Amino acid sequence: MVTPGAVIASNFADPAFIIVDNLHYAFSTNHEGMNVPMASSVDMIGWTLLGDAMPNVGAWSTGQAVWAPHVVQLPSQNDQPGSFVMYYTAISRGNPTRHCVGAATSATITGPFIARDEVFACSAGGGSIDPSGFHDDGDGRQYVVYKTDGNSIGHGGSCNNDVAPIVPTPIMLQEVNPANGYELIGGPTQILDRGPADGPLIEAPSLIRVPNTEAPGTFVYILFFSSNCYAGGLYDTSYATSINGITNGGQDYQKSSAPLLVTGSNEGKLYSPGGMTVGPMGVYAVFHADLGTTHTVRQMWFGTLTITGRTVSIL
């Protein structure tokens, strides 16, 4: 089910949400002078804008183009509630042609989040964007997924990457220390990349783990992502799955046969739906869609998912 209209009608692009003490908090790409606009809700439908969750970025960044934040609560320690980590994208001070990923921390969900001075991820293949945290309830490990921004070093065309040779834009999985959420454990592992049907790129990953209803006693990992260029009607939301563990045995996740949301979905109300974040157990989801047919204003929408085995539906 998708709501009949946007739940945040103003610009609230690349939304992410978290539920804390039965309240819902959402975060978005920078807008109106705020690095990370934040909103709260009691029901995921009516939202109140709260202000800037992270007034200052890390020293590694210029402070420009703060995109696609995602907040996770770390596991509790010593019977105390876990603290919060925000992952975000911004322009690198060391190379202003690249976006990279940073991390910020807070003892409370409303912040202010204090950004770490060190960069979290910055791929040599074009930089890194669109981070999303994930706690694996199966083994207690903590991860971050993000996109290697290969199209930033593409050769032109749609989103700078539909002129040969096409540059890869893989989704990477990075394990982190569950005690702090930002200390790296090992190196990143690719779990998905673009294909011909994805146009110039894939991006905006969101990872969950749910019981596999078609194989009781087992679990399926579902990676939601967007494909095609955000500027235009081809942008969509899709997903891929693994039944062979979080790394799928070293192979890319298996993509669904059709996107989850496209322009024209929800009885024609959606244009360029993308940037989806899915909550734990795959019940609630938020995403943006353009107001009208341009990406000047990207409104936040809310939906509920149905998952059967490796198949997801939202409409």
Side-chain angles (χ1 to χ4, degrees):
M1 181 277 293
V2 176
T3 48
V7 294
I8 295 182
S10 59
N11 197 21
F12 208 82
D14 306 311
F17 79 98
I18 185 173
I19 302 174
V20 180
D21 296 330
N22 296 317
L23 289 176
H24 310 79
Y25 298 87
F27 306 85
S28 87
T29 279
N30 63 319
H31 180 57
E32 292 187 344
M34 293 181 285
N35 288 327
V36 180
M38 173 176 49
S40 66
S41 174
V42 297
D43 58 6
M44 296 290 287
I45 304 298
W47 291 86
T48 300
L49 297 176
L50 300 178
D52 193 343
M54 186 184 67
N56 299 294
V57 301
W60 63 267
S61 170
T62 65
Q64 298 171 300
V66 182
W67 294 347
H70 187 257
V71 175
V72 297
Q73 184 171 19
L74 298 176
S76 60
Q77 299 185 40
N78 302 319
D79 297 323
Q80 297 297 314
S83 59
F84 299 88
V85 180
M86 176 187 292
Y87 308 101
Y88 66 97
T89 304
I91 291 178
S92 169
R93 185 179 299 277
N95 185 351
T97 67
R98 299 287 181 269
H99 289 81
C100 303
V101 171
T105 61
S106 174
T108 64
I109 183 59
T110 53
F113 282 80
I114 306 302
R116 290 178 51 76
D117 287 338
E118 301 80 15
V119 70
F120 176 84
C122 199
S123 170
S128 304
I129 68 170
D130 295 351
S132 181
F134 169 69
H135 179 74
D136 193 332
D137 291 331
D139 57 16
R141 293 181 175 182
Q142 195 81 21
Y143 297 90
V144 179
V145 289
Y146 59 86
K147 169 200 173 185
T148 294
D149 198 23
N151 54 292
S152 72
I153 55 173
H155 302 94
S158 177
C159 272
N160 197 44
N161 201 34
D162 71 355
V163 175
I166 306 301
V167 181
T169 62
I171 303 301
M172 309 302 293
L173 175 77
Q174 173 66 60
E175 186 175 1
V176 294
N177 186 341
N180 55 45
Y182 53 76
E183 182 180 292
L184 307 184
I185 298 177
T189 299
Q190 177 180 315
I191 57 175
L192 196 68
D193 199 0
R194 61 161 298 284
D198 298 311
L201 57 84
I202 58 172
E203 60 187 14
S206 180
L207 183 63
I208 63 171
R209 173 183 180 267
V210 296
N212 186 348
T213 57
E214 295 179 343
T218 68
F219 291 82
V220 56
Y221 292 85
I222 305 177
L223 179 69
F224 297 85
F225 65 94
S226 289
S227 61
N228 292 290
C229 187
Y230 75 97
L234 296 180
Y235 201 56
D236 61 32
T237 296
S238 194
Y239 65 96
T241 59
S242 167
I243 56 174
N244 299 311
I246 195 167
T247 62
N248 197 35
Q251 303 295 316
D252 278 6
Y253 281 34
Q254 180 179 328
K255 292 176 182 175
S256 61
S257 60
L260 185 65
L261 289 171
V262 299
T263 291
S265 293
N266 199 28
E267 299 179 344
K269 297 174 183 175
L270 299 180
Y271 187 88
S272 197
M276 177 177 283
T277 295
V278 179
M281 300 307 296
V283 178
Y284 294 152
V286 296
F287 60 94
H288 70 239
D290 293 356
L291 173 64
T293 57
T294 69
H295 60 273
T296 305
V297 176
R298 290 176 285 176
Q299 302 172 309
M300 189 175 89
W301 293 67
F302 165 68
T304 55
L305 303 178
T306 299
I307 301 174
T308 304
R310 302 175 72 166
T311 301
V312 183
S313 62
I314 193 171
L315 301 176

